[in-house]
C-alpha cells in the first residue's frame, strides 16, 4: 500500500509540473498575441486553456481517490491536501493567461498597449513565465529554499506593477480611457500570475516543514526555513 501511495504521489507531482509548463506556455503565447495583435494565437490560448482545466480535474480526482482508498494521515494527508491547493493555483494561472488572450482578441485588429507601456509588459511577462516554471521545479524537488527566489522575483513583479500605475497617473500620460482601463487590467493579470507562482512555492514550504504562515508576515519565511538544512550543507 505504501508503495502504491508513493507512485500516486509521484504522478501527482508530475502533473503539477506539467501544469506549470502549460501555464508558462499559455502566458507566453497570450503575450505574443497581445503584442502582435495575433488573433489566431489569442484564440489558440483561449481554446488550449481546457487542457490545463482537464489536467487539474484529473489531478484532483486522483488525489481524492487516494484520500478515499488509503485514508492517509499526518504527512501523507498534508501532501494530498497541499497538492489540491497547488493545482488550484496553477489552474488559475492558466485562467489569467486566457484573460490576456481574450483582451487581445477583443481589441483586434487594434493594439491593446501604446508603445510607452510595451517594454514594461514584456518584462512582466518574462518574469511571470520564469516564476511559474521555477515553481514547477520547486514542486518536483520539494525545494523549500527555492521559495525565496520566487519571493524576490515577486518583488520585481510588484515594482513593475507599480510602475504601470505611476505612468497611468502621471500628468504626461496621453493614452485613451480604453488604453488606461486595458493596461490596468493587464497589469493586474500579470501581477496575480506571479502571486500564484509564489503561492505554489510557499505551499511546498508548508509541505516540507509542516508550518504554514501568512506570506505577508515579515520574516516568517526566514524563521522557519533557516532551520531546514540544504542538501549541500
Amino acid at each position: 500500500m505504501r508503495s502504491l501511495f508513493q507512485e500516486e504521489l509521484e504522478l501527482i507531482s508530475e502533473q503539477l509540473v506539467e501544469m506549470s509548463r502549460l501555464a508558462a506556455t499559455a502566458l507566453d503565447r497570450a503575450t505574443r498575441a497581445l503584442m502582435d495583435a495575433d488573433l489566431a494565437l489569442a484564440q489558440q490560448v483561449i481554446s488550449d486553456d481546457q487542457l490545463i482545466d482537464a489536467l487539474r480535474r484529473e489531478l484532483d480526482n486522483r488525489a481524492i481517490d487516494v484520500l478515499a482508498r488509503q485514508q492517509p494521515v499526518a504527512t501523507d494527508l498534508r501532501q494530498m491536501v497541499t497538492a489540491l491547493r497547488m493545482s488550484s493555483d496553477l489552474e488559475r494561472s492558466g485562467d489569467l493567461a486566457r484573460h490576456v488572450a481574450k483582451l487581445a482578441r477583443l481589441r483586434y485588429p487594434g493594439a491593446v498597449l501604446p508603445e510607452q507601456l510595451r517594454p514594461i509588459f514584456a518584462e512582466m511577462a518574462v518574469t511571470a513565465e520564469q516564476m511559474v516554471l521555477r515553481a514547477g521545479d520547486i514542486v518536483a524537488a520539494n525545494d523549500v529554499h527555492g521559495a525565496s527566489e520566487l519571493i524576490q522575483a515577486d518583488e520585481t513583479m510588484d515594482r513593475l506593477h507599480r510602475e504601470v500605475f505611476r505612468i497611468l497617473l502621471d500628468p504626461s500620460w496621453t493614452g485613451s480611457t480604453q488604453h488606461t482601463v486595458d493596461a490596468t487590467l493587464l497589469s493586474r493579470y500579470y501581477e496575480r500570475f506571479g502571486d500564484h507562482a509564489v503561492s505554489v512555492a510557499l505551499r511546498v514550504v508548508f509541505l516540507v516543514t509542516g508550518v504554514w504562515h501568512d506570506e505577508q508576515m515579515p520574516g516568517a519565511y526566514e524563521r522557519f526555513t533557516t532551520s531546514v538544512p540544504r542538501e549541500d550543507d
Side-chain angles (χ1 to χ4, degrees), residues 27 35 42 44 91 111 136 198 206 233:
L27 189 64
M35 297 295 185
Q44 181 183 353
E91 188 267 337
V198 172
F206 167 72
D233 282 350

Side-chain angles (χ1 to χ4, degrees), residues 127-163:
T127 302
E129 291 160 28
Q130 291 175 343
M131 287 177 71
V132 77
L133 288 172
R134 182 69 181 108
D137 293 339
I138 290 168
V139 170
N142 273 345
D143 180 7
V144 66
H145 296 284
S148 62
E149 298 175 30
L150 288 191
I151 290 172
Q152 292 174 2
D154 194 50
E155 292 176 357
T156 297
M157 184 65 78
D158 291 342
R159 175 182 59 79
L160 293 168
H161 186 51
R162 291 192 298 270
E163 179 63 14

Side-chain angles (χ1 to χ4, degrees), residues 193-217:
F193 193 101
D195 285 346
H196 284 301
V198 172
S199 180
V200 169
L202 291 177
R203 293 189 196 284
V204 172
V205 173
F206 167 72
L207 178 63
V208 174
T209 66
V211 178
W212 184 248
H213 71 290
D214 185 334
E215 61 192 28
Q216 300 299 322
M217 292 171 59

Side-chain angles (χ1 to χ4, degrees), residues 1-13 62-83 142 207:
M1 290 292 288
R2 183 66 189 175
S3 175
L4 179 60
F5 177 82
Q6 287 300 322
E7 289 177 6
E8 294 285 357
L9 193 61
E10 288 174 8
L11 284 173
I12 288 172
S13 178
R62 172 171 280 116
I64 291 170
D65 184 60
V66 171
L67 288 170
R69 287 188 294 105
Q70 302 199 26
Q71 299 180 342
V73 296
T75 300
D76 294 343
L77 179 61
R78 186 165 74 235
Q79 289 175 316
M80 289 296 103
V81 173
T82 302
N142 273 345
L207 178 63

Side-chain angles (χ1 to χ4, degrees), residues 9-227:
L9 193 61
E10 288 174 8
L11 284 173
I12 288 172
S13 178
E14 290 171 4
Q15 288 179 312
L16 288 169
V17 173
E18 180 62 16
M19 287 183 73
S20 73
R21 291 171 180 166
L22 288 173
T25 298
L27 189 64
D28 174 65
R29 290 174 175 172
T31 302
R32 285 192 281 125
L34 182 77
M35 297 295 185
D36 301 336
D38 189 329
L39 181 61
L41 190 56
Q43 188 57 53
Q44 181 183 353
V45 174
I46 295 166
S47 299
D48 285 352
D49 185 57
Q50 64 184 331
L51 300 176
I52 300 178
D53 294 342
L55 193 54
R56 183 201 172 176
R57 287 193 297 271
E58 182 182 340
L59 186 156
D60 289 358
N61 288 337
R62 172 171 280 116
I64 291 170
D65 184 60
V66 171
L67 288 170
R69 287 188 294 105
Q70 302 199 26
Q71 299 180 342
V73 296
T75 300
D76 294 343
L77 179 61
R78 186 165 74 235
Q79 289 175 316
M80 289 296 103
V81 173
T82 302
L84 289 168
R85 291 178 175 176
M86 287 192 286
S87 74
S88 176
D89 278 312
L90 293 170
E91 188 267 337
R92 289 175 183 174
S93 297
D95 288 344
L96 289 165
R98 184 187 63 198
H99 291 336
V100 173
K102 281 186 172 182
L103 189 54
R105 183 179 66 177
L106 179 65
R107 301 305 181 208
Y108 178 83
V112 179
L113 294 171
E115 193 62 36
Q116 183 180 6
L117 290 174
R118 290 168 68 88
I120 295 177
F121 279 96
E123 186 176 354
M124 292 182 84
V126 170
T127 302
E129 291 160 28
Q130 291 175 343
M131 287 177 71
V132 77
L133 288 172
R134 182 69 181 108
D137 293 339
I138 290 168
V139 170
N142 273 345
D143 180 7
V144 66
H145 296 284
S148 62
E149 298 175 30
L150 288 191
I151 290 172
Q152 292 174 2
D154 194 50
E155 292 176 357
T156 297
M157 184 65 78
D158 291 342
R159 175 182 59 79
L160 293 168
H161 186 51
R162 291 192 298 270
E163 179 63 14
V164 170
F165 280 90
R166 186 196 66 77
I167 293 172
L168 297 179
L169 295 173
D170 193 280
S172 64
W173 169 249
T174 57
S176 66
T177 300
Q178 178 178 297
H179 283 147
T180 302
V181 172
D182 289 349
T184 300
L185 288 173
L186 285 170
S187 187
R188 181 58 173 164
Y189 295 155
Y190 285 103
E191 189 266 340
R192 285 298 298 155
F193 193 101
D195 285 346
H196 284 301
V198 172
S199 180
V200 169
L202 291 177
R203 293 189 196 284
V204 172
V205 173
F206 167 72
L207 178 63
V208 174
T209 66
V211 178
W212 184 248
H213 71 290
D214 185 334
E215 61 192 28
Q216 300 299 322
M217 292 171 59
Y221 172 81
E222 291 78 3
R223 284 199 298 274
F224 64 76
T225 56
T226 51
S227 62

